[in-house]
Amino acid sequence: MHRAGQAPQRRNGGLARSVKSGELDAAVFVEDSEQELKGMLWTPLYTEPLTVVAISQSAPPGSDFKKLLREQPFLRFDRRTPSGIRVEQTLRKLGVVPRDFLELSSLSAIIELVRQNVGITMVPHIKNADWANDALLRVLPLPGRPPTRLIGMLEQGKEHITSVIRRHLVDLLAEKSAAPAGK
């Protein structure tokens, strides 16, 4: 949550510092293992698996995602972010050196560029994104148990109005996870 008149921080570390200092009451963001969270309350909300996303015309069903990553221009998630670091680690584990083309910090911009056949990407499959039903996109899951990023809520350690919001988010996300597909 952001108090009126103050510009929000862009990086997770800035958000954590803003919560710790009291500038923000709470923040929802990607977990970053390098953050100092002592004295604050971190509540995991949900995870998002890494996946490869390509244009469907270049990636028919059953395509080898490693081959596509090596051959297609790669739209990279910003390596300075926790998600970008996770993508880089995953590429290394898979032994894939992609053909870097662009590095962006906007997941929606990356997906839009894939839709426009600019390149291929590996990104977190954001909650509620329906990429698998987008006729222009092909989602290629990583083998086995794919790496994930954790989205959570950080609050000051003391009891605060944010506890009501946290409980509501946890309940809402639990309901959505339990709902049948298509709802």
Side-chain angles (χ1 to χ4, degrees):
M1 282 158 271
H2 172 66
R3 293 189 179 139
Q6 297 174 338
Q9 299 289 326
R10 295 235 182 245
R11 298 268 181 239
N12 293 350
L15 286 172
R17 282 190 299 278
S18 293
V19 171
K20 189 167 190 137
S21 73
E23 183 180 341
L24 295 176
D25 297 323
V28 175
F29 55 84
V30 177
E31 179 185 43
D32 182 351
S33 60
E34 296 180 13
Q35 291 174 8
E36 178 61 43
L37 303 178
K38 287 183 183 164
M40 294 188 284
L41 176 62
W42 172 256
T43 303
L45 297 173
Y46 59 91
T47 59
E48 297 172 333
L50 287 186
T51 190
V52 174
V53 183
I55 187 126
S56 56
Q57 71 186 41
S58 298
S63 293
D64 179 356
F65 73 89
K66 288 182 182 182
K67 182 176 186 233
L68 290 169
L69 286 168
R70 288 184 189 107
E71 294 176 354
Q72 300 289 321
F74 187 61
L75 305 170
R76 183 181 285 279
F77 202 92
D78 185 347
R79 285 179 265 208
R80 297 171 296 173
T81 65
S83 300
I85 291 167
R86 187 149 296 125
V87 167
E88 180 63 22
Q89 291 169 340
T90 303
L91 288 167
R92 285 185 186 158
K93 279 184 183 176
L94 293 169
V96 175
V97 178
R99 289 184 41 218
D100 284 337
F101 182 65
L102 287 173
E103 184 165 343
L104 301 120
S105 60
S106 168
L107 203 144
S108 59
I110 292 170
I111 294 300
E112 187 55 35
L113 288 170
V114 171
R115 272 191 192 99
Q116 295 185 31
N117 200 19
V118 173
I120 187 171
T121 193
M122 179 186 290
V123 291
H125 194 137
I126 57 176
K127 190 166 187 69
N128 299 324
D130 197 15
W131 300 335
N133 290 317
D134 184 325
L136 294 175
L137 300 176
R138 175 86 58 227
V139 176
L140 304 163
L142 298 176
R145 191 168 164 211
T148 61
R149 72 175 183 175
L150 176 63
I151 309 298
M153 182 173 173
L154 183 67
E155 304 168 78
Q156 295 176 2
K158 60 188 182 222
E159 186 64 25
H160 198 273
I161 187 66
T162 58
S163 64
V164 174
I165 295 165
R166 174 182 18 91
R167 285 190 296 271
H168 180 73
L169 278 172
V170 168
D171 291 345
L172 182 67
L173 291 166
E175 286 173 19
K176 284 190 173 200
S177 294
K183 294 215 174 190

